[in-house]
């Protein structure tokens, strides 16, 4: 773990006041990456010269008396499925190994406009399909807390980079839990915004009704800061919602609604939950209760179907989104083929890894004539039931609390032989994507093994501020005790 | 799912599969389909499918020409191109 890990607020303040320059901070990060990335494998691409040039440009503008954007020169790492003009975007897939997007993602434009420094591209499970980065065609990332263990996935590279102190901020994407689960495994904060809160323009699509981009940081301040920059309506994503963006940054320390009504579902604490996770999560509930939160039992009867619904809907949407990788306009083209259809089939057969093929096949089947009603439409109906459960629960509570993941970080290789076991990692997180709700994973303790444990809070649509306030409140209780 | 089913789906998905892949994919699909049969337990009589997480309808903009991606940039990542077009094998050949 980084020996001199400073709070994001402290780093940010130092940049704003000029106590450190952006170049100094970026060089410090690059030094850490140099020292650690060969062991951790968080980053798959680092353009050091480009990052330093960005930092120097910001420092020069500051020296010239110009107003500097909100990020003030702080470095941000990007998951390798976010398009950045001229930089590689491979989704850690062989099929895109030489692809360089000709445009910036909306979140990238926003980070640039806010004077953040884009520093490096992080590892992910291929096309964001996985829970460990073991499906990356490039490398498996190591958990900084125990390098024989996975960092979680699919945004495992971003989570590990922040947890290891390589960068203070990183972006990931979350389709069934791919920000929240790695945040929990790596002991940091990770937030998935409400569907539509952040533009998906420039996020290489996996499942269009489920994907969202979100921030990783070591603390609530960092998450609030990065969310403030990336949130907002974009004309280039017609699923981006024109909803007012609150002031996350100066209000995240305000009290959450008092008394905070926290819902929990007893079923979530039954069979399948590791005691390593249950103990710290229950301790967190006790701490919150002692500090005045109202802990309310809620019923979410359809959440037990969430993994099944997710593993029909997400692959179905993926089969459609990944149809574009045909060896024609970009990406890998097979060398030997016999005719157009064979060009497509061989390029795709050679370019996609096993898990991607599994999901494309499953999705194609679920959408095919004769089966679409039985599988895809059925799953969409169950999805509505899941959403209705949450709508009802939020009449009685402000947030719903669950463990983020049923276990702590598993060993590399331990779960990769059985896809279904891997899928069950999403058991607490997929509901938020299905229902469109915001969710945050908050570190809440450590298992006897030393591995981190995370708990999840979910809120109604567009209530990210409430999540940040609740998370900040919990953070202060852990630091200062219940009477703070 | 038998070999024939797997190959049918692979054809729809334009995925060339090696022999050993056909076997393992068939097994995987069978396992997952068994698991997702769980959804049949849920009473969804009269429930509208929820394709979208938010209640948003068609979003339009004015039909006004704005600059789009220059041809050069659009061709930059092409496996084969001739400066104007992407090069592909003939599309209409009289066979499937």
């Amino acid at each position: 773990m980084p020996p001199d890990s400073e709070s994001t607020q402290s780093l940010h303040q130092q940049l704003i006041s000029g106590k450190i320059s952006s170049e100094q901070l970026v060089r410090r990060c690059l030094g850490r990456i140099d020292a650690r990335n060969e062991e951790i494998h968080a980053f798959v691409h680092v353009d050091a010269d480009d990052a330093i040039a960005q930092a120097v440009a910001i420092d020069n503008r500051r020296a010239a008396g110009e107003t500097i954007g909100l990020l003030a020169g702080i470095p941000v790492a990007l998951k390798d499925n976010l398009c950045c003009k001229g930089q590689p975007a491979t989704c850690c897939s062989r099929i895109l190994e030489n692809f360089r997007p000709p445009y910036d993602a909306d979140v990238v434009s926003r980070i640039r406009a806010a004077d953040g420094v884009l520093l490096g591209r992080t590892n992910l499970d291929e096309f964001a399909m996985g829970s460990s980065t073991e499906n990356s065609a490039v490398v498996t990332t190591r958990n900084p807390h125990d390098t024989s263990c996975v960092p979680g996935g699919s945004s495992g590279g971003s989570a590990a980079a922040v947890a290891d102190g390589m960068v203070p901020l990183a972006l990931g994407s979350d389709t069934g839990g791919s920000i929240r689960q790695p945040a929990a495994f790596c002991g940091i904060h990770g937030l998935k915004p409400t569907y539509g809160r952040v533009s998906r323009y420039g996020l290489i699509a996996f499942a269009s009704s489920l994907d969202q981009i979100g921030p990783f940081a070591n603390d609530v301040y960092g998450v609030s800061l990065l969310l403030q920059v990336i949130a907002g309506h974009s004309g280039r994503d017609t699923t981006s919602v024109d909803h007012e963006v609150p002031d996350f940054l100066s209000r995240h320390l305000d009290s959450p609604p008092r008394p905070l009504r926290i819902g929990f579902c007893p079923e979530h604490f039954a069979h399948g939950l590791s005691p390593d996770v249950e103990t710290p999560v229950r301790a967190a509930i006790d701490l919150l209760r002692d500090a005045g939160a109202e802990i309310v039992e809620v019923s979410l009867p359809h959440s037990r179907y969430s993994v099944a619904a997710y593993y029909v809907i997400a692959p179905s949407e993926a089969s459609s989104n990944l149809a574009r990788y045909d060896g024609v306009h970009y990406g890998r083209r097979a060398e030997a083929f016999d005719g157009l259809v064979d060009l497509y089939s061989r390029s795709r057969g050679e370019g996609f890894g096993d898990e991607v093929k599994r999901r494309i096949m499953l999705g194609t089947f679920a959408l095919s004539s004769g089966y679409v009603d039985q599988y895809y439409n059925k799953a969409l109906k169950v999805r509505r039931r899941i959403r209705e459960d949450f709508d009802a629960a939020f009449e009685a509570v402000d947030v719903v609390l669950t463990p983020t993941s049923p276990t702590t970080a598993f060993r590399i290789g331990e779960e990769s032989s059985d896809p279904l076991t891997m899928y069950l990692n999403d058991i607490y997180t997929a509901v938020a994507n299905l229902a469109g709700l915001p969710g945050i994973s908050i570190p809440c303790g450590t298992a006897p093994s030393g591995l981190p444990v995370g708990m999840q809070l979910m809120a109604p649509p567009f209530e990210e501020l409430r999540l940040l306030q609740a998370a900040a409140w919990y953070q202060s209780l852990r630091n200062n005790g219940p009477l703070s | 799912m038998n070999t024939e089913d797997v190959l049918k789906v692979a054809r729809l998905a334009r995925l060339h599969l090696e022999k050993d892949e056909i076997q393992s994919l068939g097994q995987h699909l069978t396992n997952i389909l068994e698991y997702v049969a769980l959804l049949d337990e849920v009473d969804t009589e009269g429930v509208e499918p929820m394709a979208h997480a938010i209640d948003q309808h068609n979003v339009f903009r004015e039909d006004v020409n704005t600059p789009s991606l220059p041809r050069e940039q659009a061709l930059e990542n092409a496996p084969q191109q001739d400066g104007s077009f992407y090069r592909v094998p003939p599309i209409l050949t009289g066979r499937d």
Side-chain angles (χ1 to χ4, degrees), chain A residues 1 10 39 62 144 175 177 186 263 267 277 288 298 312 446 456 461:
Chain A
M1 289 312 293
S10 165
E39 190 184 350
R62 183 188 281 112
T175 304
C186 290
E267 281 180 19
V277 172
L288 288 160
V298 293
V312 171
T446 313
Q456 176 184 230

Side-chain angles (χ1 to χ4, degrees), chain A residues 231-244:
Chain A
H233 176 249
S234 155
R236 295 185 126 138
D237 171 5
T238 58
T239 64
S240 145
V241 174
D242 198 357
H243 212 276
E244 195 192 326

Side-chain angles (χ1 to χ4, degrees), chain A residues 45 80-103 121 127 202-204 324-325 329-332, chain B residues 69 73-79 86:
Chain A
H45 183 84
D80 199 24
N81 62 356
L82 288 164
C83 289
C84 197
K85 184 169 176 157
Q87 295 286 328
T90 71
C91 297
C92 293
S93 174
R94 272 191 292 270
I95 216 167
L96 283 178
E97 66 194 347
N98 294 314
F99 179 66
R100 289 195 178 234
Y103 69 102
R121 306 190 58 83
F127 281 106
L203 169 67
I204 296 179
R324 69 193 64 182
Y325 302 106
H329 309 93
Y330 43 73
R332 185 200 199 90
Chain B
L69 200 62
Q73 280 181 42
L75 290 173
E76 239 162 33
N77 284 289
Y86 300 100

Side-chain angles (χ1 to χ4, degrees), chain A residues 195 200 208-209 238-239 317 380 383-384 387 434-435, chain B residues 49-56:
Chain A
Y195 183 83
R200 293 179 301 110
S208 304
S209 82
T238 58
T239 64
E317 296 184 0
L380 292 184
R383 179 182 193 172
R384 188 175 294 283
R387 171 60 184 260
L434 291 165
Chain B
M50 182 179 163
H52 244 290
I54 50 172
D55 194 19
Q56 184 131 305

Side-chain angles (χ1 to χ4, degrees), chain A residues 160-178:
Chain A
V162 169
D164 199 64
M166 295 182 196
V167 278
L169 298 174
L171 283 184
S173 69
D174 189 313
T175 304
S178 289

